[in-house]
């Protein structure tokens, strides 16, 4: 794997945090041909370190060390509430690296300040990245070069699709839409499955039908050149079964309530930046 780097000859990548999202990216990098020996991980929890060793053959460290100075790219996969402490411990070793954060809410101003560098890219991924079907939005600070952007895209490519936003504030909307979005889908799958059971289907069949319907409808929306509204109208014959269901949801203001819930998620994303991104 070829990388853009500020350290001559270095193609090492470091991860601060070794949880699910880091594992998804690491797995993709190894499939691309990056050797496990070129990946460094800092993970304070022994159970997570053991999992990384068993899954990828990586020996993760409990705390940052001077070894991180060899990394061309540092991926931040830590919880928002622990980001500042981890950054201050790591900063002395990563001044020459490009930094990619997948932590929710923490703004790049804070990240750049804590790390002492402006080469920062923020990402908002989602959990389907674990199966290579993720959707990740990216924002780059001005100091991140075109080569830096390309490097980030290569690293994230195995996890799914990527898109760039021009304003960092848009990542709060992304968090509400696609970052939290898989949970909404699972929520509706739960409801559809339970409704199927209530109507007499075995649970396994109801769940298979619900999941398959989401997969198929999503692929239809992706493949077709028509907006979802048109696709919905095509299966909603007036007086039919779908019409009865949609009418019921409209009467209950399901769409309005759902949009309100997404605004709540956006607001919480802003609050996370305020809460954990202060000096």
């Amino acid at each position: 794997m070829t990388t853009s780097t500020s350290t001559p000859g270095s193609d090492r990548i470091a991860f601060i945090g070794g949880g699910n999202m880091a594992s998804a990216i690491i797995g993709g990098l190894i499939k691309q041909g990056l050797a496990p020996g070129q990946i460094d991980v800092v993970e304070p929890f022994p159970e997570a370190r053991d999992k990384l060793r068993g899954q990828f053959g990586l020996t993760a460290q409990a705390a940052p060390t001077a070894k991180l100075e060899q990394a061309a790219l540092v991926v931040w996969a830590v919880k928002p509430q622990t980001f500042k402490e981890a950054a201050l411990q790591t900063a002395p070793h990563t001044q020459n690296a490009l930094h990619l954060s997948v932590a929710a809410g923490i703004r790049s101003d804070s990240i750049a300040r804590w790390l002492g560098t402006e080469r920062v890219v923020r990402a908002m991924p989602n959990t389907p990245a674990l199966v290579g079907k993720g959707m990740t939005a990216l924002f780059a600070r001005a100091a991140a070069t075109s080569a830096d952007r390309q490097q980030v895209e290569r690293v994230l490519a195995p996890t799914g699709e990527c898109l760039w936003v021009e304003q960092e504030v848009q990542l709060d909307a992304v968090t509400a839409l696609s970052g939290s979005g898989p949970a909404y889908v699972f929520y509706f799958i739960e409801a559809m499955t339970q409704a199927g059971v209530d109507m007499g289907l075995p649970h396994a069949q109801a769940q298979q039908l619900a999941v398959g319907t989401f997969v198929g409808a999503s692929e239809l929306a992706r493949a077709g050149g028509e907006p979802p509204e048109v696709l919905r109208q095509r299966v909603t014959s007036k007086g039919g079964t779908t019409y009865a269901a949609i009418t019921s949801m409209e009467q209950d203001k399901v769409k309005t309530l759902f949009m309100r819930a997404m605004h709540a998620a956006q607001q919480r994303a802003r609050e996370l930046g305020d809460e954990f991104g202060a000096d």
Side-chain angles (χ1 to χ4, degrees), residues 96-158:
N96 295 320
L98 170 65
H99 293 268
L100 170 63
S101 169
V102 298
I106 303 299
R107 300 184 187 109
S108 67
D109 282 344
S110 298
I111 298 171
R113 184 168 61 250
W114 297 335
L115 293 173
T117 178
E118 289 291 316
R119 287 180 68 212
V120 174
V121 174
R122 267 189 70 192
M124 185 62 243
N126 61 14
T127 54
L130 299 172
V131 292
K133 296 292 184 180
M135 188 72 245
T136 300
L138 299 161
F139 169 80
R141 289 181 72 81
T145 65
S146 175
D148 289 339
R149 288 182 176 227
Q150 291 172 14
Q151 182 180 4
V152 167
E153 289 177 359
R154 285 195 299 271
V155 166
L156 294 178

Side-chain angles (χ1 to χ4, degrees), residues 13-270:
I13 297 178
F15 288 79
I16 313 301
N20 287 336
M21 193 56 64
S23 293
I25 300 172
I26 290 169
L29 289 170
I30 291 174
K31 287 180 181 177
Q32 282 183 312
L34 193 69
Q38 295 172 283
I39 301 171
D40 299 308
V41 183
V42 177
E43 171 52 60
F45 295 103
E47 297 85 358
R49 294 199 299 271
D50 291 342
K51 184 177 180 180
L52 288 166
R53 185 182 300 108
Q55 191 171 3
F56 303 115
L58 296 174
T59 301
Q61 305 300 315
T65 68
K67 188 178 181 182
L68 294 177
E69 294 173 7
Q70 302 173 41
L73 173 67
V74 179
V75 180
W76 291 85
V78 297
K79 294 184 182 301
Q81 56 266 37
T82 63
F83 201 129
K84 181 179 180 181
E85 180 182 1
L88 295 179
Q89 292 175 355
T90 305
H93 309 300
T94 59
Q95 293 296 307
N96 295 320
L98 170 65
H99 293 268
L100 170 63
S101 169
V102 298
I106 303 299
R107 300 184 187 109
S108 67
D109 282 344
S110 298
I111 298 171
R113 184 168 61 250
W114 297 335
L115 293 173
T117 178
E118 289 291 316
R119 287 180 68 212
V120 174
V121 174
R122 267 189 70 192
M124 185 62 243
N126 61 14
T127 54
L130 299 172
V131 292
K133 296 292 184 180
M135 188 72 245
T136 300
L138 299 161
F139 169 80
R141 289 181 72 81
T145 65
S146 175
D148 289 339
R149 288 182 176 227
Q150 291 172 14
Q151 182 180 4
V152 167
E153 289 177 359
R154 285 195 299 271
V155 166
L156 294 178
T159 69
E161 298 182 44
C162 293
L163 63 84
W164 293 90
V165 297
E166 294 301 317
Q167 300 176 39
E168 186 169 7
V169 68
Q170 292 174 312
L171 288 181
D172 292 336
V174 171
T175 300
L177 180 59
S178 61
S180 298
Y184 314 151
V185 174
F186 301 145
Y187 188 79
F188 279 102
I189 288 174
E190 288 180 59
M192 290 172 67
T193 300
Q194 186 58 53
V197 171
D198 293 344
M199 291 184 286
L201 290 170
H203 185 277
Q205 288 187 339
Q207 182 166 300
Q208 182 179 353
L209 289 164
V211 172
T213 298
F214 265 92
V215 171
S218 297
E219 286 299 322
L220 190 59
R222 181 196 295 268
E226 298 170 317
E229 181 182 7
V230 172
L231 295 174
R232 172 177 57 80
Q233 290 170 347
R234 284 191 171 170
V235 294
T236 312
S237 303
K238 192 166 184 177
T241 58
T242 309
Y243 180 82
I246 296 295
T247 299
S248 176
M249 285 190 274
E250 289 293 316
Q251 290 173 346
D252 290 337
K253 302 186 184 302
V254 171
K255 184 183 291 186
T256 299
L257 294 175
F258 185 43
M259 292 170 63
R260 183 188 301 173
M262 292 181 62
H263 282 286
Q266 179 190 33
Q267 179 60 32
R268 182 54 184 155
R270 292 172 180 162

